[in-house]
Amino acid sequence: MPEPLRVPAATEMDEASSLRPFRAAYWFGGWNGLTWMIGLGTPMVLLAEKLGATAFQVGLASAFVFLLLPVQVLSTSSLERLGYRRQMVIAWLARASFLLIPLGLALAAPEVPASWMPDALVASVFGFCLLRAFGVAAHIPWLAAILPDRARGRFFATDHAIVSAVGVGTLLLCSTLFDRLRDYDAFAIVYGLSIVGSLLAAWNLLRLPNATPPAPAPLRTLASEARRLCLRPGLFRHYLALSLLGSIVATTLGPFTIYYLKVESGFPSSQLLTFTAAQFGGMIAATWAIRRSLDVVPIRRFFQLASALVVVVNVYWWLLVSGAETLIPFLPAVYFLGGVHIGTQNAAHFTFLPALSEESRRHVTIAVFTAVLGLLAGLAPIFWGLLLKQSGPAPGIVVSRFVLFFALGIVVNALLVALFGRLPDHRAQEQRTT
């Protein structure tokens, strides 16, 4: 007689899906989150404004993290030689050096900034994002290789909750510093902290278990593989098209609303940092609430929820920028709601991304997807920066055009709620066969 099928005990399943060996990844996420939320987030926008940057320069700096992602595709060719862990550690240590430029500008504390200073800040963001793109080619494929499949969604949701919690603490600290110190002194402390965070993030990468390097990905084959993935009908192209549509407004919403509140409405830096902290609070609430359901509920439901939330956010900003100043007291709640959108979207995205390819080609598939999305999405902040920029060198936004920006955001995301309802979820099929 055939041996009866033995159903694993609950304790065995818990052990199989335990995330205990990967706690260093949570520490990495926390310290790394601290670094990028300073180097690429609200503090960077505020320092740019302090140095006299225009809306175009702010848009350009905000776009580099996306525009340089094609480097990630090229970087997959070195994974076979360097391995996942070594490539990430090298990149994360090297990118920390570019944080010395804004730190130096803050320590110089110019009363009347020279014209080259905002350019130097933009150039430092370029270098930071370039090294990030080299290292991030290893990130998701490495984690996908070492994490238990049935706990992947729980890991990414928990990771995002931790990063968001670090964000709240960091931004509240920044808000306190800007409230009690001179702006430049606060910037110096904040950027010094970001360098420490970058070093600690790299140290925690060394504590993670390594994985077998992927098969070689010769540079000569990457272009043809990228073209095949993007042009062939299938799940990859379907999800890429939806992601690109959402990026028309999403990649610009955060930095330009902060810039608008600072330049046009005169909000103090400490208050803007508090708003951003509320946004991270929303990210914590979202990722913690969905961390266990991500692996069992169809992924399209989370994408639909995220799109619906950003419709509400855009409606609020459309009304506020149109002149409804009575809505200003609701800014913390709207930033919190925006955080719920970001947390839901990101957790669903990182859970779904490995499902776009078989494991042997996952590093290339993820790199191509991220690069194409990043390159095209990165053009949006530059376009909007040029469109919204006032004539002349002075900071400012053309408010009438900013109203149109939010109107477009409402239409695009309302459409996405319907379109994401047709997104297939191959994870369900995989789970039924395991």
Side-chain angles (χ1 to χ4, degrees):
M1 292 179 61
E3 183 178 350
L5 180 66
R6 187 176 69 90
V7 179
T11 55
E12 293 177 316
M13 294 181 65
D14 289 343
E15 290 174 0
S17 62
S18 173
L19 296 176
R20 189 173 296 110
F22 312 103
R23 285 179 177 173
Y26 290 141
W27 284 101
F28 163 77
W31 290 115
N32 181 57
L34 179 148
T35 300
W36 65 252
M37 71 183 57
I38 292 172
L40 300 176
T42 300
M44 182 274 289
V45 175
L46 294 175
L47 179 57
E49 185 276 333
K50 183 73 175 177
L51 295 171
T54 64
F56 172 70
Q57 288 172 312
V58 171
L60 188 62
S62 302
F64 283 145
V65 69
F66 305 106
L67 290 177
L68 290 171
L69 283 173
V71 175
Q72 180 178 340
V73 179
L74 301 178
S75 301
T76 59
S77 63
S78 60
L79 284 173
E80 187 268 340
R81 184 174 68 258
L82 294 177
Y84 292 122
R85 183 163 57 191
R86 185 183 300 176
Q87 182 156 325
M88 276 202 76
V89 170
I90 290 172
W92 254 245
L93 290 175
R95 75 173 193 165
S97 62
F98 286 96
L99 296 170
L100 294 171
I101 295 175
L103 176 60
L105 292 170
L107 291 172
E111 288 297 328
V112 181
S115 59
W116 59 266
M117 289 183 173
D119 292 330
L121 177 63
V122 172
S124 74
V125 176
F126 177 90
F128 184 91
C129 293
L130 180 67
L131 269 298
R132 176 192 177 276
F134 173 73
V136 83
H139 187 207
I140 301 301
W142 180 15
L143 291 178
I146 63 177
L147 289 171
D149 288 343
R150 293 181 180 273
R152 189 181 294 155
R154 181 157 57 95
F155 169 83
F156 283 118
T158 306
D159 179 64
H160 278 80
I162 291 172
V163 172
S164 302
V166 171
V168 171
T170 301
L171 292 167
L172 289 177
L173 173 63
C174 292
S175 176
T176 302
L177 291 173
F178 279 99
D179 192 45
R180 299 184 179 183
L181 301 176
R182 291 191 316 142
D183 281 355
Y184 281 123
D185 291 338
F187 281 124
I189 294 173
V190 165
Y191 273 97
L193 184 62
S194 72
I195 294 173
V196 173
S198 192
L199 297 177
L200 289 172
W203 179 71
N204 277 285
L205 287 174
L206 294 171
R207 298 171 57 204
L208 280 172
N210 211 345
T212 303
L219 285 173
R220 65 180 181 275
T221 67
L222 291 176
S224 60
E225 186 159 359
R227 186 168 54 251
R228 178 182 58 82
L229 285 168
C230 294
L231 298 180
R232 185 182 63 186
L235 184 61
F236 182 98
R237 193 177 75 173
H238 187 171
Y239 181 49
L240 178 62
L242 296 178
S243 300
L244 286 172
L245 182 60
S247 71
I248 292 174
V249 170
T251 55
T252 308
L253 184 63
F256 277 99
T257 51
I258 290 292
Y259 186 78
Y260 169 83
L261 291 175
K262 180 66 175 175
V263 175
E264 299 294 334
S265 300
F267 277 76
S269 297
S270 59
Q271 193 167 3
L272 296 179
L273 288 163
T274 303
F275 291 159
T276 310
Q279 178 175 293
F280 279 100
M283 292 169 66
I284 295 171
T287 50
W288 197 256
I290 68 175
R291 71 190 191 284
R292 295 189 183 277
S293 56
L294 271 167
D295 293 308
V296 293
V297 176
I299 203 75
R300 58 181 173 272
R301 302 305 179 204
F302 299 101
F303 288 122
Q304 287 180 298
L305 173 61
S307 298
L309 290 171
V310 82
V311 168
V312 177
V313 171
N314 276 276
V315 168
Y316 171 87
W317 280 104
W318 177 72
L319 293 170
L320 180 64
V321 176
S322 297
E325 295 184 358
T326 55
L327 295 176
I328 288 177
F330 297 98
L331 274 169
V334 171
Y335 271 96
F336 181 89
L337 192 63
V340 175
H341 149 68
I342 295 171
T344 304
Q345 180 78 27
N346 286 349
H349 172 73
F350 285 110
T351 300
F352 189 59
L353 203 53
L356 297 180
S357 171
E358 67 277 6
E359 185 174 354
S360 62
R361 302 305 295 167
R362 186 174 286 157
H363 61 299
V364 176
T365 303
I366 291 176
V368 170
F369 184 94
T370 307
V372 174
L373 175 61
L375 179 61
L376 296 179
L379 296 176
I382 297 176
F383 168 78
W384 287 112
L386 287 170
L387 189 65
L388 298 174
K389 176 182 177 293
Q390 287 186 349
S391 58
I397 278 182
V398 180
V399 175
S400 60
R401 295 175 183 175
F402 209 25
V403 172
L404 295 177
F405 169 85
F406 294 114
L408 180 62
I410 295 168
V411 173
V412 165
N413 286 282
L415 179 62
L416 281 172
V417 173
L419 294 178
F420 269 121
R422 303 176 184 177
L423 182 70
D425 189 353
H426 292 179
R427 300 176 310 148
Q429 299 172 9
E430 294 172 1
Q431 291 171 4
R432 282 195 296 269
T433 59
T434 57

